[in-house]
Amino acid sequence: MSSCQVFQPGCRVQGKEVTFFVDTGEGGVPEFRIAGPSRTDLTYRFHEATSMYDATFLPYFAGKYELAVSLNDEPIRGSPFVITVKEQDGYQPPNGDASKVKAEGEGLESCVVDQPAFFTLHTSDAGVGRLRMEIEGPSEAMLAHDELANQVGTFRNEYVVQEAGTYMLYVMWSGNDIPGSPFTITATAE
């Protein structure tokens, strides 16, 4: 584990940049990954005089963001850091373009009861937005998604249904259905 340290000063409010500082006392270039309620770009600069980086991101939506920092391929102490961003009265986040989200994968059409089904969403051309998904059908469904580490804006999605039948999968970006949503999914026992 690295002796690198992260400092998170300042207020964290949606629509305002959040800056934190990374002290790489032992050298090396830190790697950053941020995930949260909205896709956001992370920029950073190195300050040679202090051996510190300042890193900044702009959270468009309130909620919890996870910042993972590693140095020399090892997570630093305390990583991932949870950054809570509060709502700002009167702030209107930019709306992404749901029509530019691309969906693919067998899980958009069919699945097997009690087995994970998968599909992928590509949002990089859709602008800033919030991803929301839900499944309606004969049983409740467990639904999870994760942004792929090396592919910003690409989400791997997984769900499991508990009964055979027809389900409707709603996928929304910034409150609007993406092309094809709702998807009709047929769940079979085997």
Side-chain angles (χ1 to χ4, degrees), residues 71-119:
L71 185 64
N72 301 323
D73 295 324
E74 290 185 34
I76 69 164
R77 184 178 37 240
S79 181
F81 301 92
V82 175
I83 300 166
T84 301
V85 174
K86 296 181 180 180
E87 283 190 24
Q88 178 177 312
D89 289 340
Y91 175 76
Q92 291 295 319
N95 275 333
D97 186 350
S99 71
K100 294 186 178 177
V101 175
K102 294 176 179 62
E104 62 183 2
E106 192 175 310
L108 295 171
E109 298 174 1
S110 63
C111 66
V112 176
V113 172
D114 293 326
Q115 293 185 20
F118 301 95
F119 63 97

Side-chain angles (χ1 to χ4, degrees), residues 8-168:
Q8 304 177 50
C11 182
R12 297 173 195 95
V13 179
Q14 73 182 115
K16 297 202 183 273
E17 287 187 337
V18 174
T19 300
F20 52 93
F21 300 91
V22 179
D23 180 355
T24 60
E26 65 193 44
V29 177
E31 293 178 31
F32 302 96
R33 177 167 151 69
I34 188 137
S38 66
R39 186 177 79 235
T40 183
D41 292 326
L42 185 81
T43 59
Y44 60 92
R45 296 178 302 176
F46 180 66
H47 299 278
E48 210 168 304
T50 62
S51 295
M52 289 181 72
Y53 287 80
D54 71 40
T56 302
F57 74 99
L58 180 61
Y60 294 104
F61 297 98
K64 291 190 186 296
Y65 290 77
E66 269 194 11
L67 170 67
V69 182
S70 59
L71 185 64
N72 301 323
D73 295 324
E74 290 185 34
I76 69 164
R77 184 178 37 240
S79 181
F81 301 92
V82 175
I83 300 166
T84 301
V85 174
K86 296 181 180 180
E87 283 190 24
Q88 178 177 312
D89 289 340
Y91 175 76
Q92 291 295 319
N95 275 333
D97 186 350
S99 71
K100 294 186 178 177
V101 175
K102 294 176 179 62
E104 62 183 2
E106 192 175 310
L108 295 171
E109 298 174 1
S110 63
C111 66
V112 176
V113 172
D114 293 326
Q115 293 185 20
F118 301 95
F119 63 97
T120 303
L121 297 172
H122 304 278
T123 66
S124 58
D125 294 332
V128 174
R130 181 180 290 199
L131 180 61
R132 189 170 143 238
M133 296 181 286
E134 58 185 70
I135 297 179
E136 294 179 358
S139 71
E140 287 191 22
M142 304 278 288
L143 182 62
H145 70 272
D146 189 32
E147 187 170 19
L148 300 179
N150 297 327
Q151 300 175 34
V152 173
T154 300
F155 293 87
R156 182 174 188 266
N157 306 277
E158 174 182 340
Y159 66 89
V160 177
V161 299
Q162 300 166 351
E163 293 180 29
T166 301
Y167 290 79
M168 301 301 287

